[in-house]
Amino acid sequence: MKNQQIDKIFMKEALQEAKKAYKEEEVPVGAVIVFNEEIIGRGRNRSVKNNDPSSHAEVEAIRNASKHQNNYRLNDCTLYTTLEPCMMCAGLIIQARIKRVIYAALDPKSGVIESNERALEKDFLNHKTEFYKGFYEEESSKLLKDFFKTKRN
């Protein structure tokens, strides 16, 4: 039960990052990296602002956490993200050796953890990452739907 409470707290932090992205007119996805129950990296989508298609929330959070740890490996860290990671982010999760990934909402279009590819379960990978669909799925999905609705109007 304690782990679920902790996971809920950190997923709420990721959701706060997604809300910041929404206000900045970016696709509202947020992420945090946690080590020993402490946030060591935060990120939100900034592809438009940075003119960089790799500026996904997960990438930003992993970059920040790596700087914080002074290490490109993030062993024993958990990534909380509001949306199921894409192929690029899944590759980075593996390269960073992140232990756990918890995400709020499935991404039927681009998600590769469960929706399309099951990328973290490939036999050829030398690092195995645990993954779970976690809390705030409804809030995360609503934020994304509202964002794209305003873009269409």
Side-chain angles (χ1 to χ4, degrees), residues 96-121:
R97 305 296 194 263
I98 290 174
K99 183 176 182 176
R100 297 168 66 224
V101 173
I102 301 174
Y103 54 92
L106 291 171
D107 182 355
K109 183 179 174 193
S110 301
V112 299
I113 307 303
E114 289 187 76
S115 294
N116 294 297
E117 186 57 37
R118 304 196 74 87
L120 299 181
E121 297 178 296

Side-chain angles (χ1 to χ4, degrees), residues 1 5 12-13 19-20 32-33 36 42 44 55 58 61 70-71 109 111 115 121-122 131 137-138 142-143:
M1 193 64 172
Q5 291 170 336
K12 190 157 192 135
E13 290 291 325
K19 289 175 181 177
K20 290 176 188 175
V32 296
I33 304 279
N36 288 339
R42 292 178 177 273
R44 59 186 175 271
S55 286
E58 300 90 338
N70 199 29
N71 194 337
K109 183 179 174 193
S115 294
E121 297 178 296
K122 299 298 181 187
F131 59 89
E137 177 180 16
E138 201 171 295
K142 183 178 180 337
L143 196 61

Side-chain angles (χ1 to χ4, degrees), residues 21-118:
Y22 186 98
K23 289 178 185 172
E24 295 169 356
E25 298 186 22
E26 297 276 0
V27 175
V29 178
V32 296
I33 304 279
V34 173
F35 179 70
N36 288 339
E37 296 186 16
E38 177 188 342
I39 294 174
I40 61 168
R42 292 178 177 273
R44 59 186 175 271
N45 277 5
R46 292 185 173 168
S47 296
V48 175
K49 179 184 180 220
N50 293 345
N51 290 313
D52 180 355
S54 72
S55 286
H56 287 196
E58 300 90 338
V59 173
E60 298 285 316
I62 290 169
R63 286 176 179 157
N64 289 329
S66 294
K67 286 179 185 172
H68 180 274
Q69 297 294 83
N70 199 29
N71 194 337
Y72 71 107
R73 298 287 196 224
L74 297 173
N75 298 314
D76 298 320
C77 289
T78 299
L79 166 66
Y80 296 85
T81 183
T82 58
L83 186 64
E84 179 183 8
C86 70
M87 186 64 80
M88 174 185 68
C89 293
L92 185 57
I93 288 163
I94 293 162
Q95 293 300 315
R97 305 296 194 263
I98 290 174
K99 183 176 182 176
R100 297 168 66 224
V101 173
I102 301 174
Y103 54 92
L106 291 171
D107 182 355
K109 183 179 174 193
S110 301
V112 299
I113 307 303
E114 289 187 76
S115 294
N116 294 297
E117 186 57 37
R118 304 196 74 87

